[in-house]
Structure formats: C-alpha cells, structure tokens
Amino acid sequence: MPPIRVALIGLSPSSWASATHIPYLNQPSNSTYSLVAICNSSTSSAQAAIKHHNLPSSTKAYGSVHDLVADSSSFDLAVCTIRVDRHYDVIKPLLEAGKDVFSEWPLAKNLAQAEELRDLAKEKGVRTMVGLQGRRGPPVQAIKRILESGRIGKVLSSTLVADAFNGGPVVIEKARFTLDRENGGGILAIHFAHLIDVFITALGEFSSFNAITATQRPTASILGPGKTIIETDVKRDSPDQVMLQGTLTSGAIASAHMRGGMPFKDSTALLWRIYCESGEIRLTATMPFLGLADKEAKIEMHDAKTDTVEMIDSKPAEGDEAFENLEKEVPVYGKHEAQNVARLYEAFAKGEKEKYADFEGAVVRHKMIEEMYKSYEEGRVGKYI
C-alpha cells in the first residue's frame, strides 16, 4: 500500500511537533507515512521549518489552514500540533473537507467544542486520533500485565502524587496562555489529564469522585528570553492544585494529586502506588510525564506472599515496536522520547483502534475534566460515564 501522506500543522525548531512527531515521520526507513506538507502561520515560516528539519524539497509549505484545505487532495492525514485554544478553528475545516485528523491533546479548549468536532467527524465518516500517547508506554503496559496475571490479586486501592513542573510561580512566555482557564490549557487539562489517562489505562475509569481544582497562586511572573522576568503579577485563574478522590468501576478506591511547580530538590516528581490483595506495585519517576519520559520510570513489585521485592522490566506491549533511541532534544521542551507517538502512528495505520484514543475517547476525558470543575465548584459528586 502507498504511504499515508501527512500534512503537519505547527512545526518550528522549538515546537512540540519537532520533539515528538518529526523523529518518527522523518525517518528515512519510514515506509508507512510520507510527510508531504507543513502548515504554519505563514508560508515563510513553513518554508523555514522545512529547511531546518531537512525535509525533502518536494514538501509543500502553507501559510494557513484555508490554503491547506484548498489543496486537500494532496494529503491524507492532517496532524494538528498547535496550542489547544486554536485547535477548533483549524480542525473543523479539515473535517468538513473530509480529511482524517490526528489532534494533539486536548482536542479542544472545552467540552462543547470537543463534542462538536467529534460529531462532525462521525458525520463525515473520517478517522480520528488524539495524542494521549501515554497509553502505549512500556511502564503502564508492564503494570497492566502484572495486574492481569493475578500474581498479587485484585486492586484494592491506588494513590498517585505528582509535581507538574509547570504551573508554578514563574511561567515561560510561550506558556502564558495556560494561565487563563478559558484557553483550555494549564496543568489540569494538559498535565493531569495526560497522567490520569495513563492511570485509567491500567486501573479503569472512575465511577464517581470528588475533586478540588484550586488556584492557590492567583498570579504568576512571566519568564522571557535570557531567563529574565519580563512581567509580574499576571492573573491566573486556571488550577495549580488538582486533587481527585473516588471509586473506580472495578470497586477499588483511588486518589490523585498534581501540584503546580517543581518537586522537592533531587527527589521524585511522580509516586504511584497500587495496593492489591497480596502485594503492591510502586512506580517512581523524576518526571511526571509518563508517555514522554518512560525511561525515567522505575517499577517495583512487592509480593506479600513471598515477602520479596522484584524490579519490573518495562517492555512495550506485544505487537508494539521498541523504537529504540527515537528521541530528540529541542529548545524549550528539552529532551523527550517520541516512541509512544510513533506507536500511535503505527496503530492508526494498522487500524488497531483499541491502541489509541479517537475523538470519541477524547470527549470522555473532556467530560471528566468538566465534571472535576463542577464537583469542586458545586460541591457535588462528579460522574462522567
């Protein structure tokens, strides 16, 4: 079969796409996909991105989604990697043109927009995917294997505590938009949602919960070029402390807490414990982003029957490629592993729908976020499924 032709929206030397999509899409050995177009805010920006990333001279440059849609016969799959508050205006015309779409998470800045995009995709009969790549990560797949084996019995409870790194007293200029809840960014919609999606992949959805979505630091300073503060006392109304406590569909009880800002010096930024009938699993990592820094994760299992502790090797799920050394360091984002994004692309090409979230799955997570806000603000139990 001919390769799937990709139009990538939002590529620059310091972009998310550069760190997590280009390493896979631009592999010389990649016969599954062909990167045929770059769409940025201007044609010159797209051309500069093509040159910087050494893409083939045949790669087309577009300066707007309108221009891209006008040439929709030249690509099969549009990949939207721009900031979330601009997703809706970019994705909607692509769907209307009948194109398959891969959107980074979050799908949209609010539930209403996400539902509209989901419904439009269904109406047009197109295929969709959302970048909740942590689901394919070796750590969560390893945990699932242990739990499914029954070695330490059923899950009774689980606790998770993580530091977001972002969402603290100082915010980089590029992330200023996350201070405004209306934009759909911030640590609840992005950081917490990514992490709780991994949690749910292993343990199942919440049947009910109580949540706290608090803004403990109502202002932030903006960090500009040269690591200098360029503005202070900028209003923040997006949560910087997120807590969730409830019951899973399995009957297990669970809690999760994400704190905005940096972790305790030289300590873990993520602690996840899963307490079972006859043992416990403990995962620790120096980064909270399971799915992007899986190599940082350490998994241990205590078997209470034998009173032994075993180190668990994080291997990809059966059928998933290892994609060794598929990682890249870029400005702002630093070094990230792109293996799980690559696994999403592979699953999409093979039609393995159980391995990735589509727009329907994205709406489920958006509903969860909306219910977390309402649980806190209305003082009630949250339910989203």
Side-chain angles (χ1 to χ4, degrees):
M1 293 180 62
I4 298 170
R5 299 169 300 167
V6 175
L8 184 60
I9 303 164
L11 178 65
S12 71
S14 61
S15 67
W16 181 256
S18 181
T20 59
H21 289 261
I22 288 295
Y24 171 75
L25 290 174
N26 202 32
Q27 286 185 113
S29 59
N30 190 340
S31 60
T32 306
Y33 290 87
S34 175
L35 184 54
V36 299
I38 302 298
C39 179
N40 282 352
S41 57
S42 68
T43 304
S44 60
S45 171
Q47 290 170 336
I50 291 169
K51 181 179 180 180
H52 175 84
H53 293 89
N54 298 313
L55 302 181
S57 58
S58 60
T59 308
K60 294 184 177 181
Y62 298 91
S64 70
V65 69
H66 178 270
D67 293 341
L68 179 63
V69 168
D71 194 19
S72 62
S73 63
S74 66
F75 65 95
D76 306 307
L77 173 68
V79 180
C80 180
T81 68
I82 59 176
R83 51 187 256 190
V84 60
D85 54 325
R86 297 169 181 169
H87 280 194
Y88 176 84
D89 290 337
V90 167
I91 294 173
K92 185 176 180 180
L94 290 163
L95 295 175
E96 289 174 332
K99 307 309 296 185
D100 293 346
V101 176
F102 176 1
S103 171
E104 273 296 348
W105 172 264
L107 172 55
K109 69 178 184 179
N110 56 48
L111 174 59
Q113 286 189 351
E115 288 179 325
E116 184 180 343
L117 293 176
R118 174 204 60 188
D119 293 345
L120 181 57
K122 286 182 178 180
E123 177 188 327
K124 295 294 182 178
V126 299
R127 299 175 62 208
T128 61
M129 182 165 63
V130 173
L132 289 167
Q133 66 276 353
R135 297 182 179 192
R136 300 315 308 162
V140 72
Q141 294 299 323
I143 288 172
K144 284 185 67 178
R145 286 193 292 270
I146 295 171
L147 296 177
E148 289 169 359
S149 74
R151 287 182 62 189
I152 53 176
K154 72 176 184 179
V155 177
L156 303 179
S157 66
S158 184
T159 58
L160 181 153
V161 179
D163 299 284
F165 282 68
N166 301 121
V170 178
V171 175
I172 60 173
E173 190 172 15
K174 189 171 184 176
R176 180 181 182 137
F177 81 98
T178 64
L179 299 176
D180 187 347
R181 171 177 160 177
E182 182 70 21
N183 288 329
I187 70 167
L188 170 54
I190 298 177
H191 305 68
F192 182 85
H194 270 291
L195 188 54
I196 204 68
D197 190 72
V198 172
F199 182 99
I200 288 169
T201 296
L203 303 180
E205 300 281 357
F206 283 79
S207 58
S208 64
F209 60 75
N210 289 97
I212 295 176
T213 57
T215 305
Q216 296 292 81
R217 291 188 175 103
T219 63
S221 297
I222 306 300
L223 190 68
K227 296 185 177 181
T228 57
I229 300 295
I230 59 174
E231 195 172 351
T232 59
D233 297 322
V234 178
K235 180 183 176 181
R236 183 210 315 264
D237 68 359
S238 63
D240 60 3
Q241 293 283 332
V242 178
M243 301 186 76
L244 181 68
Q245 180 175 287
T247 303
L248 304 179
T249 54
S250 67
I253 58 176
S255 67
H257 179 198
M258 177 164 277
R259 313 182 301 189
M262 302 298 290
F264 192 93
K265 184 176 176 63
D266 298 327
S267 68
T268 60
L270 172 61
L271 171 61
W272 180 12
R273 299 179 69 165
I274 304 170
Y275 186 66
C276 300
E277 290 176 304
S278 56
E280 186 171 8
I281 299 169
R282 180 174 65 182
L283 182 150
T284 55
T286 56
M287 293 285 286
F289 310 112
L290 283 180
L292 293 174
D294 286 345
K295 292 181 180 178
E296 301 290 332
K298 175 184 176 183
I299 305 174
E300 301 165 283
M301 184 189 73
H302 174 217
D303 187 332
K305 295 189 294 289
T306 60
D307 196 26
T308 56
V309 175
E310 177 184 340
M311 291 294 300
I312 303 300
D313 186 16
S314 294
K315 295 179 180 179
E318 185 176 350
D320 282 359
E321 291 189 37
F323 290 112
E324 293 294 340
N325 302 315
L326 194 65
E327 52 197 25
K328 182 180 178 183
E329 185 162 0
V330 300
V332 180
Y333 288 110
K335 190 173 185 179
H336 280 314
E337 300 166 12
Q339 288 92 337
N340 292 328
V341 174
R343 293 180 184 117
L344 291 189
Y345 276 112
E346 291 281 307
F348 186 81
K350 296 174 183 176
E352 298 173 332
K353 294 182 179 180
E354 73 282 0
K355 291 187 176 182
Y356 62 86
D358 59 8
F359 284 11
E360 185 69 61
V363 165
V364 172
R365 206 57 62 230
H366 274 284
K367 284 181 178 178
M368 183 180 187
I369 293 171
E370 185 74 11
E371 277 294 290
M372 288 180 67
Y373 277 125
K374 289 181 178 179
S375 172
Y376 181 51
E377 294 165 358
E378 299 174 9
R380 65 169 175 81
V381 172
K383 293 186 176 183
Y384 62 98
I385 56 172

